[in-house]
Structures are given as C-alpha cells and as structure tokens.
Amino acid sequence: MRLLLDTHPLLWAAGQPEKLSAAARTLLDDPRNELLFSAVSLWEIAIKRSLGREDFRVEPRVLRRGLLDNGYVELELSGGHAAAIDLLPPLHKDPFDRMLLAQAHSEGLTLLTADAQVAQYPGPVRPV
C-alpha cells in the first residue's frame, strides 16, 4: 500500500513515535508499504513554525533530510494536484489538509490522518 502521511502523523513518526496509535505504527513498520511525505507538509511546518506554533518546532530542512534518509518518498506538488482541490467536498477549510487530500486522490494514495475532520472525506483516507 502507498501511504501519504498527513502532517501530524508525519511529525510523530519522525520524532515522537509514542504519539502514534498502534494501528499507525503497524502500517508504518510494514515493509510492504511505501511511505510518502508531501512538500505540502514541509510548507505547512515552515509556516506554522514561523508563527511560533509549539507543535511545529522542527526545522523543515532537517525533517526532509531525515525522512529521505529513512526511506520515505517525497511527493512534489503539481498543478494537477492544485486543480483537483475543486473535486473535494467542502468538509474542511484547512488549505494544507485539502491539498494533501487532493494529492492522495490524484495519485491513488491512502492518506493517513489523525484529524477527525479529514477522516470524514470519502476515498482513500485512513484515520490513525
């Protein structure tokens, strides 16, 4: 299975694995699963870190390097991803989450999320 991690599960996997549910750890530890992170998550982290958010203290360049070094695949943002946002129902207003959903839909990925609102979207979304 190809799994795209939403930003919080991504941060937890990289630095606070104890915050992940047992189900999430099982999925992330399964060598048959391909783990992906989005440039959108790095963008979100950089913006929220600059705003002083306590839950976004990590330096995005360090996180990116660590993820790549640990076998994660980076998903870049494309115009096709941006255009796919209009296919999503308006269940959630966060632009970062909506872009991650659009990427998952466009690329045939399963989005792993800890956000209950994001988990309400139809399609390849899995709450963890």
Side-chain angles (χ1 to χ4, degrees), residues 61-126:
R61 285 178 291 280
V62 172
L63 176 62
R64 179 179 181 271
R65 183 76 264 147
L67 292 167
L68 292 170
D69 289 348
N70 283 285
Y72 283 72
V73 175
E74 183 173 10
L75 178 60
E76 295 182 2
L77 180 59
S78 74
H81 296 146
I85 285 181
D86 72 345
L87 301 174
L88 297 173
L91 302 176
H92 194 36
K93 295 183 185 206
D94 184 290
F96 300 110
D97 289 332
R98 290 179 59 78
M99 184 57 75
L100 290 169
L101 284 158
Q103 286 185 299
H105 280 268
S106 296
E107 300 293 331
L109 307 171
T110 298
L111 179 65
L112 296 184
T113 185
D115 185 321
Q117 279 188 296
V118 173
Q120 292 177 13
Y121 276 88
V125 180
R126 187 161 185 175

Side-chain angles (χ1 to χ4, degrees), residues 21-43:
S21 68
R25 285 193 303 272
T26 298
L27 287 168
L28 299 179
D29 291 341
D30 186 337
R32 295 171 295 179
N33 291 334
E34 181 181 15
L35 306 178
L36 294 95
F37 70 96
S38 174
V40 172
S41 289
L42 298 175
W43 178 29

